[in-house]
Amino acid sequence: MNIPAVHTPRLSLSFLVDHFFYLVFLLVFVFFSLASDKFLTVSNLSSLLLQCSYYGVLVTGLSFVIISGDFDISVGTVAYVSMSVGMVTIAAGYPILLGVALTLLTGVAIGLLNALIIIYLHVPAFITTLGVLIAGRGVGHLLVAEQGGIEAPVALTQFAQFRIGPLYLEVAFMLLVMFIGQFVLTRTAFGRTVFAIGDNEKSARRIGIEINKMKLVLFTLSGFVASLAGLVYVTQVGYLHASFADGWEFTAISMAVIGGVSLFGGRGTILPGALLGITLIVMLQNGLTIIGLSPYIHPFVIGSMIFVAILADSLKNRRN
Amino acid sequence: MGFKMKMLSSAAILAAGIATLPIEAMAKDMTIGFSSVGRFSLAFIAGETYLGRFAEERGWKYLSAIAENDAAKQSQDIDNLIARGVDAVIVMAVDSKAIESSVRAAHSEGIPVIGYMRPQDPGSTHLYDGFAGQDTVAQAYDAAIEMSKMLDEDSVAASDVKVLHVIGDPKDENALKRAEGFKKAAEEKGWEIVSEIICDGWSLDMALTGATNALESDSSINAVLLASDYLWPGVRTALQNRDKLHKRGEEGHVYIASQDVFPVAVDSIKEGYMDTSTLLDMYGMAVTAMDMTERLLAGEEFSETTTPKKVNWMSGVTITADNVETQEGLWGAEFHPDKK
């Protein structure tokens, strides 16, 4: 007699590790929704997404680099220096469009500089971008800090006031950038090459992928996108100052990793992964303030979350 | 005036001249070294400029070294200033404990060390010869009290005041002292602090997101106690996004008490969006520090009974729409980008 096999659902460790993030996201969302009637409102969710917008843009470029198995920890500084160049230009009376163009060009130039140092001087990406992070801050201070900060022109800050229903224009822009990023990553040969390099650089080289050319494009892209994120942020805050984008790099890397972009390369998505990672961190900051928890506890909660995410990523990587 | 009086007057002038002669004589050859925490804040740049200006007025040579917020570098900077032969060192410390060996080295060479703006750790073994700083508890308290006068004028009952308290960087002792001053005033006046946010590293991002979240959590917030108007652009944007940025006298105005009077605060006070800010007296502290330096070089010593004292805590003036155009020593106006 054949006895039919009984399939009982099992909560295995690998299942938990794979879906841990989604579970946590859901739990946090439900918790804050129940804890305060101020959380689940159109106004709050709209402002929560607005807070995600510049990080969304920043993480898109950074995710490409991380998935390829590298690091770019200069993105905050790139945003600062490129915005400094742009804002000084505008403050000197030149057209806003010229300032915006110079901002983006500076981002591209610094990204390219990163790439050239990594490729031709064989300096590891981490060290190269760390150097640029430190040196670039000095350049930014030289341009901006000695003036005590620069007010953004009204034409730029007005951009932040446009809404499509409850959705701010910056949020729509972020979603567009992330959608393009995800499309390029998963539906193009370029994207597949990024995954291949991140998975195993030596093998990728063996099958004829031009690693240096890819690094050149990836770091330049990261610089360009960082300057774009700086622009999105300036439209919101309306002011360029000495601590502009300070620490963005580590927050952005954490957000990407929480969203499933592997620190070890070769894995990750921009949509929905990175977007949910960003939203989780911003939601925690938002929700903890709304429920009135002491601000001194916030870093502990968020730091613990980052630690657990990195642990989960490490476990996944070991298993794979 | 009789002959005797003339003689007496002449003798007095001569005596005074002789008494000041050593200072005048030595003045031209003096070199003063200033070790700054950094140039990342316009307030620090203003302080550095004032000290340089006052040294120049005395005919002294002025050398400055910038630590870029690095305590170890600052220690090296001071050692280098000593090696370059300075006669006195004025220091705005990154971390006073970390530069103790340099203070000791200066003293062993007979070089006086004067603290500027940032106080010395109470546990320090080699003390500054003089110090000019600002009482930051009083600074915050004064701003809040000034705001309370405006609330009274506008007939806003204390029980209706709902405060957002922006603490600033919790690693910075000044931020914590300012928080203490604000809380003291809020308690005295019976205001309710409905939300508190911190801004690590004086991050404007955190001011923006924190204030946005706080305003979402409690739309009744009608006053902000701000640790420094360096953070004002972030808070201002959060208020604007919630349609809460209105001038005083307009409906829905949120009262703002801040500190430091950066250029952005000068503008906002003039426009009526910010109500008051207590001056971080970079000018007054520089006057006192340089005066003490001059006297130390002339051989004077300071204690708690001398004038000035060895440790001098200054109180800043509260700036409002009434005095923002006229107040002297307003570095935020003098160093305003529009003036460049």
Side-chain angles (χ1 to χ4, degrees):
Chain A
M1 189 173 71
N2 288 331
I3 301 169
V6 180
H7 294 285
T8 50
R10 283 194 306 146
L11 262 180
S12 65
L13 179 67
S14 67
F15 177 86
L16 274 178
V17 166
D18 283 345
H19 298 89
F20 172 79
F21 166 68
Y22 297 101
L23 201 65
V24 171
F25 188 92
L26 198 67
L27 280 175
V28 171
F29 186 81
V30 171
F31 171 76
F32 286 134
S33 302
L34 295 174
S36 170
D37 58 358
K38 303 277 170 48
F39 179 77
L40 199 56
T41 64
V42 172
S43 160
N44 187 48
L45 295 182
S46 164
S47 93
L48 193 150
L49 282 174
L50 179 65
Q51 290 170 39
C52 292
S53 58
Y54 51 94
Y55 276 122
V57 175
L58 186 72
V59 168
T60 301
L62 194 59
S63 294
F64 275 86
V65 176
I66 301 176
I67 292 171
S68 78
D70 257 323
F71 274 108
D72 183 354
I73 58 167
S74 67
V75 286
T77 294
V78 174
Y80 177 44
V81 177
S82 54
M83 269 325 302
S84 302
V85 171
M87 294 282 275
V88 165
T89 306
I90 295 168
Y94 292 101
I96 292 175
L97 273 179
L98 179 65
V100 170
L102 283 178
T103 298
L104 299 176
L105 271 175
T106 308
V108 167
I110 303 176
L112 189 64
L113 176 73
N114 272 334
L116 293 175
I117 295 172
I118 293 162
I119 296 166
Y120 294 107
L121 299 181
H122 305 289
V123 180
F126 186 85
I127 304 296
T128 302
T129 54
L130 177 67
V132 169
L133 180 152
I134 296 166
R137 279 264 145 211
V139 175
H141 289 344
L142 207 65
L143 291 169
V144 170
E146 296 204 3
Q147 299 187 45
I150 302 175
E151 289 269 1
V154 178
L156 266 185
T157 52
Q158 271 176 345
F159 180 76
Q161 302 304 318
F162 288 116
R163 294 190 202 195
I164 306 159
L167 211 65
Y168 285 93
L169 195 58
E170 285 111 315
V171 178
F173 182 70
M174 169 192 77
L175 291 173
L176 177 71
V177 170
M178 295 189 97
F179 176 78
I180 293 171
Q182 177 66 14
F183 181 84
V184 172
L185 199 58
T186 54
R187 302 291 172 94
T188 65
F190 176 79
R192 284 189 288 276
T193 311
V194 172
F195 277 107
I197 297 172
D199 202 33
N200 192 325
E201 192 177 314
K202 279 182 188 165
S203 303
R205 200 184 295 273
R206 254 185 246 126
I207 60 168
I209 292 173
E210 292 184 73
I211 306 288
N212 285 350
K213 201 184 272 183
M214 284 300 291
K215 281 187 194 289
L216 194 81
V217 176
L218 287 170
F219 279 93
T220 308
L221 178 75
S222 179
F224 170 73
V225 175
S227 62
L228 205 56
L231 265 172
V232 172
Y233 178 60
V234 152
T235 63
Q236 283 178 42
V237 79
Y239 196 72
L240 185 69
H241 51 94
S243 63
F244 184 91
D246 198 8
W248 274 15
E249 44 285 326
F250 297 110
T251 311
I253 290 172
S254 307
M255 287 168 161
V257 173
I258 286 175
V261 175
S262 176
L263 269 179
F264 304 93
R267 274 186 290 117
T269 60
I270 292 167
L271 285 175
L275 176 62
L276 290 178
I278 295 162
T279 312
L280 178 64
I281 294 283
V282 173
M283 183 163 65
L284 279 169
Q285 289 166 341
N286 175 272
L288 293 172
T289 305
I290 283 181
I291 64 170
L293 200 71
S294 164
Y296 296 103
I297 310 277
H298 299 193
F300 172 76
V301 175
I302 294 165
S304 304
M305 188 63 67
I306 292 169
F307 174 75
V308 172
I310 290 172
L311 185 70
D313 180 41
S314 175
L315 286 173
K316 255 192 237 179
N317 190 60
R318 221 178 294 169
R319 198 189 55 203
N320 290 339
Chain B
M1 194 185 280
F3 178 73
K4 270 189 180 176
M5 279 300 286
K6 274 187 183 169
M7 284 296 286
L8 276 171
S9 306
S10 304
I13 291 165
L14 191 64
I18 291 166
T20 55
L21 191 60
I23 296 178
E24 294 301 320
M26 61 146 191
K28 303 296 174 196
D29 306 323
M30 290 294 158
T31 303
I32 304 301
F34 175 53
S35 169
S36 171
V37 69
R39 282 182 178 152
F40 46 84
S41 165
L42 190 65
F44 300 161
I45 294 167
E48 188 188 337
T49 309
Y50 286 136
L51 288 167
R53 189 183 297 168
F54 299 152
E56 197 180 311
E57 282 170 9
R58 287 165 167 82
W60 295 347
K61 197 174 164 193
Y62 177 72
L63 304 173
S64 65
I66 311 300
E68 292 303 347
N69 219 17
D70 181 340
K73 181 179 183 303
Q74 184 161 46
S75 191
Q76 288 167 8
D77 284 347
I78 298 171
D79 293 344
N80 289 339
L81 287 170
I82 296 167
R84 291 174 72 183
V86 295
D87 297 285
V89 175
I90 300 176
V91 60
M92 186 201 295
V94 177
D95 175 355
S96 63
K97 288 292 274 180
I99 57 164
E100 266 194 354
S101 61
S102 300
V103 176
R104 187 177 59 225
H107 284 163
S108 66
E109 298 279 332
I111 298 169
V113 180
I114 302 93
Y116 176 72
M117 189 182 164
R118 293 197 165 181
Q120 207 170 10
D121 187 284
S124 300
T125 48
H126 285 81
L127 299 176
Y128 296 157
D129 301 279
F131 171 74
Q134 187 149 352
D135 182 344
T136 41
V137 178
Q139 191 184 3
Y141 180 82
D142 292 348
I145 295 301
E146 190 63 44
M147 188 178 85
S148 80
K149 290 178 193 163
M150 294 179 185
L151 288 161
D152 290 343
E153 281 170 20
D154 298 349
S155 306
V156 181
S159 56
D160 292 338
V161 179
K162 310 285 181 197
V163 175
L164 162 63
H165 181 198
V166 183
I167 295 175
D169 185 358
K171 297 188 293 294
D172 186 335
E173 195 188 338
N174 276 333
L176 299 177
K177 284 188 170 174
R178 289 171 178 193
E180 189 186 329
F182 273 148
K183 281 186 176 172
K184 186 179 161 200
E187 214 169 283
E188 273 179 28
K189 294 292 168 187
W191 301 336
E192 186 187 353
I193 296 179
V194 294
S195 190
E196 282 191 321
I197 59 170
I198 55 170
C199 307
D200 274 319
W202 295 100
S203 157
L204 209 52
D205 304 5
M206 291 180 83
L208 171 60
T209 54
T212 301
N213 295 336
L215 291 167
E216 284 294 342
S217 75
D218 197 329
S219 56
S220 69
I221 287 171
N222 58 0
V224 178
L225 297 177
L226 190 57
S228 167
D229 34 49
Y230 182 77
L231 301 171
W232 169 237
V235 175
R236 182 181 60 187
T237 303
L239 288 169
Q240 194 172 14
N241 288 345
R242 290 285 300 174
D243 195 24
K244 276 177 162 280
L245 186 69
H246 304 286
K247 295 175 182 178
R248 188 176 172 213
E250 292 177 356
E251 201 182 330
H253 172 64
V254 173
Y255 291 82
I256 312 288
S258 183
Q259 297 165 80
D260 297 339
V261 199
F262 274 82
V264 69
V266 171
D267 294 340
S268 286
I269 290 171
K270 281 182 187 170
E271 290 161 1
Y273 293 112
M274 183 182 280
D275 300 282
T276 184
S277 182
T278 309
L279 180 65
L280 176 63
D281 196 359
M282 305 307 292
Y283 181 87
M285 287 186 280
V287 168
T288 305
M290 200 51 88
D291 176 48
M292 294 181 95
T293 306
E294 187 167 27
R295 287 163 178 240
L296 283 161
L297 289 172
E300 274 190 50
E301 283 186 7
F302 299 107
S303 69
E304 286 315 291
T305 55
T306 55
T307 307
K309 291 178 178 175
K310 189 168 185 175
V311 175
N312 298 279
W313 294 107
M314 322 185 72
S315 55
V317 183
T318 48
I319 304 299
T320 66
D322 295 336
N323 62 354
V324 68
E325 305 272 11
T326 53
Q327 181 63 44
E328 281 184 15
L330 199 61
W331 61 269
E334 187 180 342
F335 291 81
H336 197 289
D338 288 353
K339 290 205 169 174
K340 289 198 171 179

